[in-house]
Amino acid sequence: MKRSEVDRTKISPMMKQYLEIKEKYEDTIIFFRLGDFYEMFFEDAMTASHELELTLTGKNCGLEERVPMCGIPYHAYKSYLDKLIEKGYKVAICEQMTDPKLTKGMVERDVIQVVTKGTRLDDAIDSRDFNYVGSIYDFEYCYGISYIDVSTGYVYGLVIDHEEEKLTKEIINRNIKEIIVNDKIDRNIVNQFREQYNLLVTFRETFYEGEDYQYIYQEIKDVRLSTTVKFLLQYLLDTKKGDLSHLQKLELVDENEHLLFDVHTKKNLELVETIRNHDRQYSLLWLLDKTKTAMGSRYLKANIESPLTEKKEILRRYDIIEKLLTEFIKKEELKEEFNKVYDLERLSSRISYGNLNARDLLQLKNSLSALPTIHAILEEIGYDKNVEVLEELYQLLEKSINEDAPVTVREGSLIKPGYHSELDELKNIRKNSKDFILQIENDEKERTGIKNLKVGFNKVFGYYIEVSKGSIPLIKEEFGYDRKQTLANCERFITPLLKEKEDIILGAEEKIIELEYQLFMQIRGIAKGYIGRLQQISKVLAEVDMMLSLATVAEENNYIRPTLTEERVIQIKEGRHPVVEKVSKKDYVPNDISMGKDTNILLITGPNMAGKSTYMRQLAIIIIMAQIGSFVPCKSCVIPIFDKIFTRIGASDDLVSGESTFMVEMKEANIAVSEATEHSLILFDELGRGTATYDGMSLAQAILEYIHDKIKAKTLFSTHYHELTSLASDLSNLRNVHVSAMEEQGKITFLHKVKNGAVDKSYGIHVASLAKLPTSLIERANEILSVYEQKGTKQQTFTQTSLFLDFDSKETSSENEIVQKINEINPLEMTPIEALNFLYEITKEIKNEKK
């Protein structure tokens, strides 16, 4: 049965209430609180039962047919919620707003929050990463983008041109988990976000028009940005339904202040996760992250994904690392203090929103306890940012919150003795009354002579006197025992005195729990007044934590301080790839990277597996590390500040969009040649290999010439087209280098050393041998290669005069079709599997001819 099929004149009051609430939240699954369960009905029940593997049952609600229903225990709902959110659903939590015990008639219910992937405030989100929800407002001539991390309060915004490709790149690069869009946006973009990138997209048309949150955008003069932020803000208020005053002022995103690269470059360089396992381990972030706090880890990740271009700030960070390495004792003391610091950013958000518990306040107290020492050390080493010490807040939490407080705030045991006199008095009453209960038990044993008599308690009968069956005859009428319950082996009684004390004890218990809750809320309210100051402290602590991490990594791995130059030169001595060096079981072979004012392009040749890609990535990673303010892995380093990095490393089809390797190559090459400047870095690894040999070679040369003549960006271009090396004679700013290998007795040894000059020999068959292809196949491949080389069919070298080259080979007379086929192939261009297939076909034809 569906909701649309329901006759509302016949349904029960509870189901009518559910349907009225559901109409307000059509695109969500509603967890509808009924007693100790959250229940789902109709389509929600069918979806949830499937996704959560729950039993689908039915519920009577006044209709002839039972409506579909499934349920989960309210105290264990979180794991079910996590699964639905991860699968891309929205979940509305509908709670009982009044106490069923005190309510006559229907219990009032309402949605207290809508949980979505981008708006979570609980522990389910990754503590080491930001969790952004964003909005795209299509103004038809441009796009306004804003994005907010509700868990930390950071708010960002920018306006971009009305270009779909740029819009997609911005959203994906910023790792936004959920998007709000207005109705004018192209549906193809929405479908792309949903289908290709698995983003939750919601259409909205409402704006925030209140006053409480105007501080977020009131200083912004661009009405497009304020419109976009108000658009997103209303969605957050509608979903979170709580106090979001921890949200900070809007920060404008200025791309000129950061080294730019797209999601492909981030992936190719394995900056925050590896390509193979999509795992943090063995990425650059994994290597550099020695932070002690979640705040520091998030800040480091944000810097790796968006390095700086402002020279003054980069040099400031170098100075800090240098100081920390000099003051190594202070550095270790700081690290020790940071072990006490919890996630102040997210604690602040929980204080504001109101979903914190006593243990959160204890974490806040422990964090505050470290601030005086951190403040003192930072002053001693001359750190240029101040950490405020909130002594009064620390003292409040120290005096008030019980160290053994429970997770929930409605169980009592939240407040320490001595903080509140009335609470202490109630606790004394409770304690003395319980002592009096024990005294009653002893007195009754003596009065009745029943030695096994005991006083017990349960929630149904309260306090009672329990007497075993064998001792029942000893009970006399004058004892005043009133029988309350008969069990198999005993009977339970009450007395007027026992009931009197029970009322005192239980009354005190209820008052204690209620008073402790009120006091807790008062303390939370006081802490809420410190949120702005806590957020400022958090920003400084996050930076200090990151700098401590970078100093630690520099010390452990022998990194050096880079020199930033205004000239367009790169002089790196004995550079290393930091991650490969760290995980490699063999001794790492360092390499120089030298590109003077007159060298813009290094054309890199050499065999597969020799280290060309590592050499290229190594340069990009050194630059990124330098521009986040880190020391770098080399003996010496002189580099300029770069504005953008473009990479095309590795070849793979884009199966989702149905694009071939070559199309992906050309698209990424187009982005580079369209957007790069002379201050950019371009890394192209074997560009053009995704198409036919001559096409690929021609395109590779044309791209090299275009970069050389028009863009003048620093470029590393690796290739297997050895013919391209002759370009060095025509392109004055191109220089050949090669990764060396040594061949002895038919075996190849990779030296991983980059040397000047070009190589004109390929080692494809040697690599195939290392891959353990059959010996007979390798021998046959070498025979074919010898025939090919003796026939003199090597391609002519390129000149810059024309892309249309004379590749016509001399006519040869073939003895048969098999020889002709051998003449037509080029083993240098073949992959091992192509060579294997070719040999198989040739062998098959020879055998057929012999028959």
Side-chain angles (χ1 to χ4, degrees):
M1 179 186 291
K2 296 181 180 178
R3 279 187 296 133
S4 58
E5 301 169 352
V6 170
D7 183 351
R8 298 203 178 189
T9 62
K10 297 180 180 179
I11 58 175
S12 65
M14 184 279 293
M15 187 53 65
K16 183 178 180 182
Q17 182 187 54
Y18 168 81
L19 291 174
E20 288 172 353
I21 293 172
K22 178 63 183 176
E23 284 173 353
K24 300 175 187 176
Y25 299 94
E26 290 285 351
D27 61 344
T28 70
I29 293 174
I30 294 185
F31 281 12
F32 193 76
R33 179 73 178 273
L34 287 171
D36 289 340
F37 288 86
Y38 284 120
E39 296 187 0
M40 289 143 276
F41 304 103
F42 298 104
E43 291 88 346
D44 283 1
M46 290 185 275
T47 300
S49 65
H50 173 71
E51 297 288 6
L52 302 175
E53 298 179 0
L54 300 172
T55 301
L56 184 66
T57 62
K59 191 176 189 74
N60 293 319
C61 58
L63 302 173
E64 293 181 7
E65 184 182 348
R66 286 156 62 90
V67 304
M69 185 270 283
C70 66
I72 55 175
Y74 88 94
H75 56 80
Y77 80 98
K78 193 173 178 300
S79 61
Y80 298 101
L81 174 69
D82 292 345
K83 286 180 183 178
L84 289 174
I85 298 304
E86 188 60 34
K87 290 173 180 285
Y89 293 98
K90 297 180 181 180
V91 178
I93 308 297
C94 183
E95 280 291 351
Q96 296 173 165
M97 308 303 289
T98 54
D99 189 339
K101 297 176 184 176
L102 306 175
T103 304
K104 293 182 179 180
M106 177 62 62
V107 174
E108 184 183 342
R109 294 180 177 86
D110 202 358
V111 171
I112 59 167
Q113 69 166 315
V114 178
V115 185
T116 68
K117 189 177 287 188
T119 63
R120 302 198 74 167
L121 270 168
D122 52 30
D123 296 332
I125 53 179
D126 186 350
S127 64
R128 298 178 300 177
D129 200 0
F130 290 101
N131 194 59
Y132 291 123
V133 55
S135 67
I136 303 170
Y137 199 86
D138 190 342
F139 291 99
E140 298 185 281
Y141 66 94
C142 69
Y143 294 111
I145 300 174
S146 65
Y147 52 105
I148 294 175
D149 182 354
V150 186
S151 70
T152 60
Y154 288 111
V155 183
Y156 301 97
L158 68 158
V159 175
I160 63 171
D161 296 333
H162 203 267
E163 298 174 13
E164 292 182 7
E165 195 167 313
K166 188 169 186 180
L167 173 66
T168 303
K169 187 170 75 172
E170 289 291 346
I171 297 298
I172 303 307
N173 284 357
R174 299 183 190 284
N175 199 24
I176 296 172
K177 306 287 177 62
E178 178 182 356
I179 314 168
I180 317 305
V181 297
N182 65 327
D183 199 52
K184 292 177 182 176
I185 196 166
D186 190 326
R187 295 306 190 270
N188 290 327
I189 299 176
V190 173
N191 292 336
Q192 183 184 32
F193 283 140
R194 285 174 172 166
E195 295 167 12
Q196 286 187 228
Y197 300 106
N198 194 31
L199 295 181
L200 178 61
V201 184
T202 303
F203 283 89
R204 301 271 293 188
E205 291 296 331
T206 54
F207 298 86
Y208 174 72
E209 300 294 349
E211 297 181 358
D212 292 345
Y213 300 99
Q214 283 185 3
Y215 71 90
I216 295 173
Y217 53 83
Q218 63 186 4
E219 296 177 8
I220 302 300
K221 295 178 181 178
D222 191 332
V223 70
R224 299 172 299 179
L225 273 175
S226 58
T227 298
T228 307
V229 172
K230 288 192 284 185
F231 180 54
L232 177 56
L233 195 54
Q234 188 57 49
Y235 175 76
L236 291 180
L237 292 171
D238 289 342
T239 54
K240 300 316 294 176
K241 294 183 176 292
D243 187 348
L244 298 178
S245 57
H246 67 285
L247 295 181
Q248 303 178 42
K249 289 183 179 180
L250 172 67
E251 291 184 39
L252 296 179
V253 177
D254 186 351
E255 294 190 335
N256 294 324
E257 294 179 356
H258 298 280
L259 171 62
L260 304 179
F261 43 78
D262 62 16
V263 68
H264 302 294
T265 296
K266 185 166 73 173
K267 174 183 170 184
N268 289 333
L269 297 178
E270 298 186 307
L271 296 182
V272 297
E273 65 179 23
T274 57
I275 295 173
R276 176 175 293 183
N277 299 325
H278 302 288
D279 190 38
R280 185 186 179 103
Q281 190 172 17
Y282 304 134
S283 66
L284 179 63
L285 176 60
W286 163 79
L287 176 73
L288 298 182
D289 193 357
K290 303 288 184 182
T291 56
K292 299 292 185 179
T293 70
M295 300 179 293
S297 186
R298 289 194 298 268
Y299 189 67
L300 174 61
K301 182 174 186 286
N303 274 268
I304 291 174
E305 293 179 323
S306 190
L308 305 173
T309 55
E310 187 185 343
K311 185 176 181 180
K312 183 179 178 182
E313 177 59 21
I314 297 171
L315 293 175
R316 170 184 166 270
R317 293 184 178 182
Y318 294 163
D319 291 341
I320 292 170
I321 293 176
E322 222 164 45
K323 188 70 173 178
L324 289 170
L325 292 176
T326 304
E327 300 280 357
F328 56 89
I329 295 176
K330 297 295 181 188
K331 173 170 70 72
E332 293 305 314
E333 289 176 358
L334 267 177
K335 287 164 67 175
E336 190 64 33
E337 289 302 312
F338 267 86
N339 284 327
K340 304 175 187 176
V341 178
Y342 289 85
D343 194 342
L344 286 179
E345 285 179 338
R346 287 187 172 164
L347 282 173
S348 298
S349 303
R350 290 165 70 85
I351 292 169
S352 172
Y353 186 65
N355 64 331
L356 82 164
N357 55 42
R359 293 185 184 180
D360 292 326
L361 289 182
L362 289 173
Q363 289 185 358
L364 175 59
K365 184 191 78 171
N366 291 335
S367 301
L368 295 177
S369 72
L371 295 187
T373 306
I374 292 173
H375 172 84
I377 296 173
L378 292 181
E379 275 198 335
E380 285 182 45
I381 65 174
Y383 202 86
D384 58 356
K385 292 182 181 179
N386 180 47
V387 172
E388 187 180 2
V389 178
L390 303 179
E391 182 62 26
E392 64 280 12
L393 180 57
Y394 170 76
Q395 289 299 334
L396 169 66
L397 299 175
E398 171 65 19
K399 291 174 183 176
S400 61
I401 304 299
N402 187 4
E403 299 291 349
D404 299 319
V407 175
T408 63
V409 296
R410 291 286 191 178
E411 292 181 21
S413 301
L414 300 174
I415 307 298
K416 279 183 176 180
Y419 177 71
H420 194 270
S421 58
E422 183 184 347
L423 180 62
D424 289 344
E425 187 178 339
L426 286 168
K427 287 183 177 179
N428 280 331
I429 291 172
R430 180 181 65 182
K431 181 178 182 299
N432 293 335
S433 297
K434 286 185 176 179
D435 289 343
F436 189 76
I437 293 292
L438 291 174
Q439 187 61 48
I440 288 177
E441 182 177 295
N442 292 329
D443 290 347
E444 289 300 309
K445 283 180 180 179
E446 192 172 326
R447 183 163 75 101
T448 62
I450 303 172
K451 300 302 180 185
N452 62 356
L453 174 151
K454 61 182 179 182
V455 176
F457 176 83
N458 66 32
K459 290 184 178 180
V460 177
F461 298 111
Y463 285 98
Y464 54 81
I465 295 171
E466 185 175 288
V467 180
S468 65
K469 288 285 189 182
S471 300
I472 296 298
L474 298 176
I475 297 175
K476 299 176 182 178
E477 189 174 343
E478 60 262 29
F479 292 168
Y481 280 22
D482 182 12
R483 182 179 281 105
K484 199 68 179 175
Q485 187 181 21
T486 300
L487 300 177
N489 58 350
C490 67
E491 293 198 14
R492 291 173 176 174
F493 304 86
I494 59 172
T495 67
L497 180 62
L498 200 57
K499 293 309 292 181
E500 179 187 334
K501 285 299 176 182
E502 178 186 302
D503 291 341
I504 294 172
I505 294 170
L506 296 183
E509 192 73 48
E510 289 178 4
K511 287 178 182 177
I512 287 168
I513 290 173
E514 183 58 34
L515 182 55
E516 287 207 345
Y517 177 73
Q518 290 175 8
L519 292 172
F520 176 81
M521 296 304 287
Q522 288 175 12
I523 295 163
R524 195 204 85 183
I526 294 170
K528 189 173 176 181
Y530 287 85
I531 285 177
R533 294 157 76 181
L534 285 169
Q535 288 175 329
Q536 289 303 313
I537 292 168
S538 300
K539 289 177 181 178
V540 179
L541 291 179
E543 184 191 73
V544 174
D545 196 14
M546 180 184 80
M547 300 313 298
L548 283 168
S549 178
L550 294 179
T552 300
V553 173
E555 188 175 41
E556 290 176 353
N557 300 292
N558 196 29
Y559 297 166
I560 59 97
R561 175 174 179 150
T563 300
L564 301 180
T565 178
E566 301 295 328
E567 298 180 337
R568 294 185 63 256
V569 299
I570 297 174
Q571 293 294 340
I572 296 173
K573 295 292 184 184
E574 297 186 18
R576 293 118 53 197
H577 188 299
V579 179
V580 175
E581 175 192 38
K582 193 74 174 176
V583 301
S584 178
K585 295 177 182 177
K586 300 178 182 178
D587 290 338
Y588 188 88
V589 179
N591 275 298
D592 297 348
I593 303 176
S594 178
M595 300 179 78
K597 295 178 186 177
D598 300 327
T599 302
N600 289 334
I601 302 173
L602 291 184
L603 186 63
I604 310 167
T605 49
N608 284 325
M609 296 173 60
K612 298 192 298 296
S613 295
T614 300
Y615 182 72
M616 298 169 75
R617 287 187 175 99
Q618 171 181 310
L619 173 59
I621 287 176
I622 287 174
I623 288 167
I624 288 169
M625 288 176 66
Q627 289 189 219
I628 68 174
S630 170
F631 283 15
V632 295
C634 52
K635 193 171 185 180
S636 67
C637 175
V638 178
I639 53 172
I641 291 177
F642 289 84
D643 61 357
K644 301 171 186 173
I645 296 179
F646 302 91
T647 66
R648 174 58 198 169
I649 299 175
S652 61
D653 291 355
D654 187 344
L655 300 177
V656 176
S657 61
E659 292 179 344
S660 67
T661 296
F662 184 63
M663 177 57 78
V664 173
E665 278 189 327
M666 291 303 102
K667 279 193 169 184
E668 293 184 14
N670 177 56
I671 292 171
V673 298
S674 302
E675 299 180 13
T677 72
E678 65 176 351
H679 301 293
S680 301
L681 174 70
I682 299 174
L683 306 179
F684 282 159
D685 189 14
E686 299 185 31
L687 194 70
R689 65 181 171 182
T691 187
T693 301
Y694 300 159
D695 284 350
M697 207 182 303
S698 301
L699 283 164
Q701 177 174 340
I703 289 169
L704 280 167
E705 290 174 0
Y706 190 89
I707 292 171
H708 181 276
D709 297 338
K710 304 253 184 207
I711 303 174
K712 306 185 187 324
K714 295 293 184 185
T715 303
L716 269 59
F717 194 111
S718 75
T719 185
H720 276 297
Y721 299 136
H722 300 127
E723 293 77 8
L724 292 177
T725 57
S726 63
L727 286 173
S729 60
D730 298 306
L731 304 181
S732 59
N733 294 328
L734 181 147
R735 183 160 59 86
N736 285 314
V737 296
H738 68 279
V739 186
S740 57
M742 181 173 64
E743 186 181 355
E744 289 182 339
Q745 298 178 348
K747 293 186 177 181
I748 186 171
T749 303
F750 299 120
L751 302 179
H752 303 293
K753 199 71 179 174
V754 177
K755 298 180 179 179
N756 288 325
V759 293
D760 60 357
K761 181 175 182 180
S762 179
Y763 294 90
I765 294 176
H766 295 85
V767 173
S769 177
L770 290 175
K772 307 294 184 186
L773 284 174
T775 305
S776 58
L777 185 151
I778 299 299
E779 291 173 351
R780 180 57 181 150
N782 276 312
E783 290 175 10
I784 296 171
L785 178 60
S786 298
V787 172
Y788 175 78
E789 289 175 339
Q790 289 167 10
K791 291 291 184 181
T793 56
K794 283 198 170 187
Q795 287 107 352
Q796 297 176 14
T797 56
F798 283 50
T799 64
Q800 198 185 356
T801 54
S802 173
L803 286 178
F804 302 98
L805 308 174
D806 180 14
F807 285 106
D808 294 333
S809 301
K810 295 178 181 180
E811 291 186 5
T812 59
S813 57
S814 58
E815 296 177 3
N816 54 48
E817 291 181 2
I818 293 173
V819 174
Q820 185 177 343
K821 284 185 179 182
I822 293 173
N823 286 335
E824 287 173 354
I825 63 103
N826 180 358
L828 301 179
E829 306 293 344
M830 299 176 77
T831 66
I833 193 65
E834 288 171 342
L836 180 61
N837 289 334
F838 179 78
L839 288 172
Y840 174 77
E841 293 295 331
I842 292 294
T843 305
K844 186 177 177 182
E845 287 189 29
I846 291 172
K847 287 180 178 178
N848 289 336
E849 278 196 0
K850 289 180 178 179
K851 288 181 179 179

